[in-house]
Amino acid sequence: MSHRILLVDDEVDILEFVRYNLVREGYEVFTAQNGAEALQAAAACRPHLILLDMMMPVMDGAQTCRAIREDPVLKDTMVVFLSALGEEEQQLTGFGVGADDYLTKPIKMKLLVSRVQAILKRIDADPAPEKAPSTGITVDRERYMVLRDGEEISLPRKEFALLDLLCSSPGKLIPREEIYAKIWGTEVVVGDRTIDVHIRKLRQKIGDERIVTVKGVGYKYEP
């Protein structure tokens, strides 16, 4: 990929020298001699990177950078100041108007090329994929928490244990006898409808379609 770079400087000799060296590195380079020209050139060539002087006629670097940042078409363009003004206050001004970096002149060309390459690598780097919102049911045993489509829902202890059991083997039929034994224990006598009542309450909270009844046998959880 050949990156497009816009150089903006009112000193023609500096402009041509930097342009020559960047073209040698394989970049497509455009030039402008003041801020107003820079905005027109940027709108036309859509540069990946703008190297911008601070002291310029018509519009200075700070005004130009601010205008670039207000243009939605140029929102992804990297802006780096290349200026003889190296005082901390000037650098803070540059970053304050939206610059991505601030380099001071004079600068060795090898160093400038190296910095340009590093800056452009940020553009080439794949953005971190956005984390998809959590869907379905998540049972967090350690925090005793149940999430439904990313939102926490509150379950009493037995309902939590029942859901945890069903979710531990998605799609697997779990017989009623196994559910009774693991949730209520073999020493406790419960009514035949106890499990059905708990299942009905669970369905109301997590969705009817998630817990499937196999009549007379048991239940299974379908994610």
Side-chain angles (χ1 to χ4, degrees), residues 165 175-186 190-196:
L165 174 62
R176 294 174 64 91
E177 293 77 11
E178 182 179 341
I179 294 174
Y180 278 125
K182 290 184 175 179
I183 303 302
W184 282 271
T186 56
V190 293
D192 290 339
R193 304 296 298 170
T194 299
I195 188 172
D196 302 319

PDB file of all heavy atoms in Angstrom, residues 165 175-186 190-196:
ATOM      1  N   LEU A 165     -27.172 -26.829  36.441  1.00  0.00           N
ATOM      2  CA  LEU A 165     -27.147 -28.233  36.049  1.00  0.00           C
ATOM      3  C   LEU A 165     -27.539 -28.392  34.579  1.00  0.00           C
ATOM      4  O   LEU A 165     -26.871 -29.097  33.817  1.00  0.00           O
ATOM      5  CB  LEU A 165     -28.080 -29.044  36.948  1.00  0.00           C
ATOM      6  CG  LEU A 165     -28.273 -30.518  36.580  1.00  0.00           C
ATOM      7  CD1 LEU A 165     -26.949 -31.277  36.661  1.00  0.00           C
ATOM      8  CD2 LEU A 165     -29.321 -31.163  37.486  1.00  0.00           C
ATOM      9  N   PRO A 175     -32.598 -36.632  33.096  1.00  0.00           N
ATOM     10  CA  PRO A 175     -33.802 -37.239  33.661  1.00  0.00           C
ATOM     11  C   PRO A 175     -34.243 -36.541  34.947  1.00  0.00           C
ATOM     12  O   PRO A 175     -33.431 -35.978  35.676  1.00  0.00           O
ATOM     13  CB  PRO A 175     -33.372 -38.683  33.945  1.00  0.00           C
ATOM     14  CG  PRO A 175     -32.178 -38.906  33.063  1.00  0.00           C
ATOM     15  CD  PRO A 175     -31.489 -37.595  32.987  1.00  0.00           C
ATOM     16  N   ARG A 176     -35.521 -36.611  35.222  1.00  0.00           N
ATOM     17  CA  ARG A 176     -36.076 -35.984  36.422  1.00  0.00           C
ATOM     18  C   ARG A 176     -35.409 -36.535  37.680  1.00  0.00           C
ATOM     19  O   ARG A 176     -35.114 -35.793  38.609  1.00  0.00           O
ATOM     20  CB  ARG A 176     -37.589 -36.222  36.478  1.00  0.00           C
ATOM     21  CG  ARG A 176     -38.370 -35.526  35.371  1.00  0.00           C
ATOM     22  CD  ARG A 176     -39.859 -35.944  35.404  1.00  0.00           C
ATOM     23  NE  ARG A 176     -40.512 -35.517  36.632  1.00  0.00           N
ATOM     24  CZ  ARG A 176     -41.137 -34.345  36.774  1.00  0.00           C
ATOM     25  NH1 ARG A 176     -41.174 -33.475  35.770  1.00  0.00           N
ATOM     26  NH2 ARG A 176     -41.729 -34.041  37.906  1.00  0.00           N
ATOM     27  N   GLU A 177     -35.157 -37.873  37.699  1.00  0.00           N
ATOM     28  CA  GLU A 177     -34.547 -38.488  38.872  1.00  0.00           C
ATOM     29  C   GLU A 177     -33.164 -37.907  39.158  1.00  0.00           C
ATOM     30  O   GLU A 177     -32.781 -37.683  40.319  1.00  0.00           O
ATOM     31  CB  GLU A 177     -34.432 -40.003  38.687  1.00  0.00           C
ATOM     32  CG  GLU A 177     -35.768 -40.746  38.636  1.00  0.00           C
ATOM     33  CD  GLU A 177     -36.469 -40.584  37.283  1.00  0.00           C
ATOM     34  OE1 GLU A 177     -35.829 -40.072  36.316  1.00  0.00           O
ATOM     35  OE2 GLU A 177     -37.664 -40.929  37.198  1.00  0.00           O
ATOM     36  N   GLU A 178     -32.410 -37.655  38.098  1.00  0.00           N
ATOM     37  CA  GLU A 178     -31.064 -37.079  38.277  1.00  0.00           C
ATOM     38  C   GLU A 178     -31.157 -35.650  38.792  1.00  0.00           C
ATOM     39  O   GLU A 178     -30.373 -35.230  39.653  1.00  0.00           O
ATOM     40  CB  GLU A 178     -30.300 -37.120  36.958  1.00  0.00           C
ATOM     41  CG  GLU A 178     -28.873 -36.578  37.055  1.00  0.00           C
ATOM     42  CD  GLU A 178     -28.121 -36.662  35.742  1.00  0.00           C
ATOM     43  OE1 GLU A 178     -28.536 -37.435  34.849  1.00  0.00           O
ATOM     44  OE2 GLU A 178     -27.112 -35.933  35.597  1.00  0.00           O
ATOM     45  N   ILE A 179     -32.132 -34.922  38.294  1.00  0.00           N
ATOM     46  CA  ILE A 179     -32.301 -33.546  38.754  1.00  0.00           C
ATOM     47  C   ILE A 179     -32.666 -33.521  40.229  1.00  0.00           C
ATOM     48  O   ILE A 179     -32.088 -32.759  41.015  1.00  0.00           O
ATOM     49  CB  ILE A 179     -33.391 -32.833  37.918  1.00  0.00           C
ATOM     50  CG1 ILE A 179     -32.921 -32.687  36.468  1.00  0.00           C
ATOM     51  CG2 ILE A 179     -33.717 -31.468  38.519  1.00  0.00           C
ATOM     52  CD1 ILE A 179     -33.974 -32.128  35.524  1.00  0.00           C
ATOM     53  N   TYR A 180     -33.609 -34.372  40.612  1.00  0.00           N
ATOM     54  CA  TYR A 180     -33.983 -34.437  42.028  1.00  0.00           C
ATOM     55  C   TYR A 180     -32.783 -34.758  42.899  1.00  0.00           C
ATOM     56  O   TYR A 180     -32.545 -34.130  43.936  1.00  0.00           O
ATOM     57  CB  TYR A 180     -35.074 -35.497  42.247  1.00  0.00           C
ATOM     58  CG  TYR A 180     -36.473 -35.036  41.933  1.00  0.00           C
ATOM     59  CD1 TYR A 180     -37.276 -35.739  41.034  1.00  0.00           C
ATOM     60  CD2 TYR A 180     -37.009 -33.910  42.552  1.00  0.00           C
ATOM     61  CE1 TYR A 180     -38.569 -35.328  40.741  1.00  0.00           C
ATOM     62  CE2 TYR A 180     -38.294 -33.497  42.272  1.00  0.00           C
ATOM     63  CZ  TYR A 180     -39.073 -34.202  41.375  1.00  0.00           C
ATOM     64  OH  TYR A 180     -40.356 -33.787  41.092  1.00  0.00           O
ATOM     65  N   ALA A 181     -32.009 -35.766  42.506  1.00  0.00           N
ATOM     66  CA  ALA A 181     -30.882 -36.219  43.310  1.00  0.00           C
ATOM     67  C   ALA A 181     -29.826 -35.126  43.453  1.00  0.00           C
ATOM     68  O   ALA A 181     -29.256 -34.926  44.542  1.00  0.00           O
ATOM     69  CB  ALA A 181     -30.271 -37.480  42.696  1.00  0.00           C
ATOM     70  N   LYS A 182     -29.524 -34.415  42.356  1.00  0.00           N
ATOM     71  CA  LYS A 182     -28.434 -33.440  42.391  1.00  0.00           C
ATOM     72  C   LYS A 182     -28.855 -32.102  42.989  1.00  0.00           C
ATOM     73  O   LYS A 182     -28.021 -31.396  43.567  1.00  0.00           O
ATOM     74  CB  LYS A 182     -27.879 -33.233  40.983  1.00  0.00           C
ATOM     75  CG  LYS A 182     -27.114 -34.452  40.471  1.00  0.00           C
ATOM     76  CD  LYS A 182     -26.490 -34.182  39.112  1.00  0.00           C
ATOM     77  CE  LYS A 182     -25.628 -35.367  38.670  1.00  0.00           C
ATOM     78  NZ  LYS A 182     -25.020 -35.147  37.326  1.00  0.00           N
ATOM     79  N   ILE A 183     -30.124 -31.770  42.883  1.00  0.00           N
ATOM     80  CA  ILE A 183     -30.555 -30.457  43.373  1.00  0.00           C
ATOM     81  C   ILE A 183     -31.134 -30.551  44.787  1.00  0.00           C
ATOM     82  O   ILE A 183     -30.847 -29.718  45.640  1.00  0.00           O
ATOM     83  CB  ILE A 183     -31.598 -29.828  42.422  1.00  0.00           C
ATOM     84  CG1 ILE A 183     -31.026 -29.704  41.007  1.00  0.00           C
ATOM     85  CG2 ILE A 183     -32.026 -28.453  42.933  1.00  0.00           C
ATOM     86  CD1 ILE A 183     -29.760 -28.892  40.899  1.00  0.00           C
ATOM     87  N   TRP A 184     -31.926 -31.585  45.046  1.00  0.00           N
ATOM     88  CA  TRP A 184     -32.560 -31.685  46.359  1.00  0.00           C
ATOM     89  C   TRP A 184     -31.907 -32.757  47.235  1.00  0.00           C
ATOM     90  O   TRP A 184     -32.094 -32.749  48.450  1.00  0.00           O
ATOM     91  CB  TRP A 184     -34.055 -31.970  46.201  1.00  0.00           C
ATOM     92  CG  TRP A 184     -34.815 -30.733  45.829  1.00  0.00           C
ATOM     93  CD1 TRP A 184     -35.361 -29.831  46.694  1.00  0.00           C
ATOM     94  CD2 TRP A 184     -35.121 -30.256  44.506  1.00  0.00           C
ATOM     95  NE1 TRP A 184     -35.983 -28.815  46.000  1.00  0.00           N
ATOM     96  CE2 TRP A 184     -35.855 -29.057  44.642  1.00  0.00           C
ATOM     97  CE3 TRP A 184     -34.852 -30.738  43.226  1.00  0.00           C
ATOM     98  CZ2 TRP A 184     -36.307 -28.328  43.555  1.00  0.00           C
ATOM     99  CZ3 TRP A 184     -35.312 -30.004  42.146  1.00  0.00           C
ATOM    100  CH2 TRP A 184     -36.018 -28.812  42.305  1.00  0.00           C
ATOM    101  N   GLY A 185     -31.186 -33.669  46.638  1.00  0.00           N
ATOM    102  CA  GLY A 185     -30.524 -34.721  47.408  1.00  0.00           C
ATOM    103  C   GLY A 185     -31.425 -35.920  47.607  1.00  0.00           C
ATOM    104  O   GLY A 185     -32.652 -35.806  47.615  1.00  0.00           O
ATOM    105  N   THR A 186     -30.822 -37.055  47.820  1.00  0.00           N
ATOM    106  CA  THR A 186     -31.587 -38.304  47.951  1.00  0.00           C
ATOM    107  C   THR A 186     -32.258 -38.427  49.310  1.00  0.00           C
ATOM    108  O   THR A 186     -33.148 -39.249  49.488  1.00  0.00           O
ATOM    109  CB  THR A 186     -30.657 -39.508  47.739  1.00  0.00           C
ATOM    110  OG1 THR A 186     -29.557 -39.429  48.668  1.00  0.00           O
ATOM    111  CG2 THR A 186     -30.125 -39.541  46.324  1.00  0.00           C
ATOM    112  N   VAL A 190     -39.485 -34.664  48.222  1.00  0.00           N
ATOM    113  CA  VAL A 190     -40.167 -33.506  47.647  1.00  0.00           C
ATOM    114  C   VAL A 190     -41.328 -33.998  46.800  1.00  0.00           C
ATOM    115  O   VAL A 190     -41.351 -35.140  46.334  1.00  0.00           O
ATOM    116  CB  VAL A 190     -39.204 -32.657  46.783  1.00  0.00           C
ATOM    117  CG1 VAL A 190     -38.134 -32.014  47.633  1.00  0.00           C
ATOM    118  CG2 VAL A 190     -38.583 -33.492  45.670  1.00  0.00           C
ATOM    119  N   GLY A 191     -42.290 -33.120  46.581  1.00  0.00           N
ATOM    120  CA  GLY A 191     -43.457 -33.485  45.792  1.00  0.00           C
ATOM    121  C   GLY A 191     -43.114 -33.639  44.317  1.00  0.00           C
ATOM    122  O   GLY A 191     -42.123 -33.098  43.819  1.00  0.00           O
ATOM    123  N   ASP A 192     -43.967 -34.368  43.605  1.00  0.00           N
ATOM    124  CA  ASP A 192     -43.741 -34.623  42.192  1.00  0.00           C
ATOM    125  C   ASP A 192     -43.730 -33.341  41.357  1.00  0.00           C
ATOM    126  O   ASP A 192     -43.108 -33.288  40.302  1.00  0.00           O
ATOM    127  CB  ASP A 192     -44.823 -35.574  41.655  1.00  0.00           C
ATOM    128  CG  ASP A 192     -44.653 -36.987  42.199  1.00  0.00           C
ATOM    129  OD1 ASP A 192     -43.524 -37.295  42.632  1.00  0.00           O
ATOM    130  OD2 ASP A 192     -45.632 -37.743  42.166  1.00  0.00           O
ATOM    131  N   ARG A 193     -44.441 -32.312  41.821  1.00  0.00           N
ATOM    132  CA  ARG A 193     -44.563 -31.087  41.038  1.00  0.00           C
ATOM    133  C   ARG A 193     -43.486 -30.058  41.371  1.00  0.00           C
ATOM    134  O   ARG A 193     -43.439 -28.995  40.755  1.00  0.00           O
ATOM    135  CB  ARG A 193     -45.941 -30.462  41.266  1.00  0.00           C
ATOM    136  CG  ARG A 193     -47.109 -31.383  40.960  1.00  0.00           C
ATOM    137  CD  ARG A 193     -47.162 -31.750  39.490  1.00  0.00           C
ATOM    138  NE  ARG A 193     -47.356 -30.591  38.636  1.00  0.00           N
ATOM    139  CZ  ARG A 193     -47.250 -30.598  37.300  1.00  0.00           C
ATOM    140  NH1 ARG A 193     -46.904 -31.719  36.681  1.00  0.00           N
ATOM    141  NH2 ARG A 193     -47.470 -29.497  36.610  1.00  0.00           N
ATOM    142  N   THR A 194     -42.622 -30.373  42.334  1.00  0.00           N
ATOM    143  CA  THR A 194     -41.619 -29.389  42.769  1.00  0.00           C
ATOM    144  C   THR A 194     -40.730 -28.942  41.621  1.00  0.00           C
ATOM    145  O   THR A 194     -40.504 -27.748  41.403  1.00  0.00           O
ATOM    146  CB  THR A 194     -40.744 -29.980  43.889  1.00  0.00           C
ATOM    147  OG1 THR A 194     -41.577 -30.313  45.005  1.00  0.00           O
ATOM    148  CG2 THR A 194     -39.700 -28.979  44.334  1.00  0.00           C
ATOM    149  N   ILE A 195     -40.206 -29.926  40.887  1.00  0.00           N
ATOM    150  CA  ILE A 195     -39.321 -29.587  39.782  1.00  0.00           C
ATOM    151  C   ILE A 195     -40.057 -28.801  38.716  1.00  0.00           C
ATOM    152  O   ILE A 195     -39.503 -27.871  38.119  1.00  0.00           O
ATOM    153  CB  ILE A 195     -38.678 -30.870  39.190  1.00  0.00           C
ATOM    154  CG1 ILE A 195     -37.614 -30.462  38.162  1.00  0.00           C
ATOM    155  CG2 ILE A 195     -39.709 -31.775  38.579  1.00  0.00           C
ATOM    156  CD1 ILE A 195     -36.802 -31.640  37.664  1.00  0.00           C
ATOM    157  N   ASP A 196     -41.316 -29.142  38.459  1.00  0.00           N
ATOM    158  CA  ASP A 196     -42.087 -28.442  37.430  1.00  0.00           C
ATOM    159  C   ASP A 196     -42.296 -26.973  37.798  1.00  0.00           C
ATOM    160  O   ASP A 196     -42.248 -26.098  36.931  1.00  0.00           O
ATOM    161  CB  ASP A 196     -43.444 -29.126  37.237  1.00  0.00           C
ATOM    162  CG  ASP A 196     -43.288 -30.588  36.844  1.00  0.00           C
ATOM    163  OD1 ASP A 196     -42.395 -30.880  36.018  1.00  0.00           O
ATOM    164  OD2 ASP A 196     -44.043 -31.418  37.360  1.00  0.00           O
TER     165      ASP A 196
END
